[in-house]
Amino acid sequence: MELIIDNRQDKMDVTEDLIEKIKDIILECLDSEGYDDDYEVSLSFVDNKEIHELNREYRGVDRATDVLSFPMLSDEFDIELEEETLGDIVISLERAFEQSIEYNHSFEREVCFLVCHSTFHLLGYDHDTDENTKEMRQKEEYILNKLNITRE
């Protein structure tokens, strides 16, 4: 799996340890759903201002959010690529920090949760109904617990 990182914010530090955990989460999500690791994921770190603009532009929601997912996986195209693009994840590290305080756990755990959550969106899951939300939450908790990323 290739992880392409674009850090477009300067409010929060991104450590190598965090990047390694992010890679592990994405790989574990792929594995748990029966996918191999021949995928490319683009991960952008932004601030609240930029994610607000993206949320307004792509979802028509005029406010900041924590994470946006842009899935690229599709059965519509039968093109043999060496590495298929799974999609793009955009995380506001500023919002992740705010939420880590709100939920009383570490910044690292919040970023890991958001990556896990977004990866399942890239794999086709959604939380548009109570049943889908429950299924998605179970999958997220399974991955985070398996990797020992707990609410400290």
Side-chain angles (χ1 to χ4, degrees):
M1 186 219 23
E2 183 178 357
L3 180 62
I4 301 166
I5 296 176
D6 183 12
N7 187 3
R8 301 193 303 257
Q9 59 81 50
D10 60 5
K11 294 181 174 28
M12 301 298 300
D13 288 332
V14 178
T15 65
E16 283 302 315
D17 185 50
L18 180 59
I19 297 301
E20 288 306 311
K21 286 182 178 177
I22 287 169
K23 288 177 184 175
D24 290 345
I25 288 166
I26 295 169
L27 287 169
E28 197 61 48
C29 289
L30 287 168
D31 185 59
S32 74
E33 294 297 308
Y35 289 88
D36 58 31
D37 62 357
D38 291 335
Y39 289 93
E40 176 184 287
V41 175
S42 171
L43 174 60
S44 298
F45 296 124
V46 299
D47 59 20
N48 283 347
K49 182 177 185 242
E50 185 173 347
I51 209 158
H52 183 156
E53 293 166 2
L54 292 169
N55 204 21
R56 183 177 50 237
E57 181 178 345
Y58 290 102
R59 295 183 60 231
V61 179
D62 192 17
R63 64 175 169 80
T65 189
D66 50 7
V67 64
L68 293 170
S69 310
F70 299 95
M72 300 292 280
L73 193 59
S74 173
D75 293 330
E76 293 179 32
F77 306 104
D78 190 21
I79 301 170
E80 289 297 318
L81 298 174
E82 195 169 304
E83 197 158 40
E84 192 167 355
T85 301
L86 192 61
D88 301 330
I89 299 171
V90 181
I91 296 176
S92 169
L93 291 185
E94 187 177 3
R95 183 69 187 129
F97 179 72
E98 294 164 0
Q99 288 178 175
S100 71
I101 294 168
E102 180 181 337
Y103 300 136
N104 197 30
H105 55 237
S106 71
F107 168 71
E108 182 179 89
R109 197 275 181 194
E110 185 64 19
V111 172
C112 288
F113 169 79
L114 294 173
V115 167
C116 186
H117 179 81
S118 191
T119 301
F120 279 115
H121 275 308
L122 298 184
L123 293 171
Y125 288 92
D126 206 349
H127 43 82
D128 53 348
T129 66
D130 288 343
E131 185 177 315
N132 288 347
T133 299
K134 182 179 178 185
E135 179 183 19
M136 201 168 169
R137 291 293 177 261
Q138 287 173 339
K139 289 179 177 294
E140 293 160 354
E141 288 301 320
Y142 171 78
I143 297 297
L144 294 173
N145 287 334
K146 184 172 184 183
L147 295 173
N148 201 29
I149 301 170
T150 58
R151 297 178 189 260
E152 301 155 9

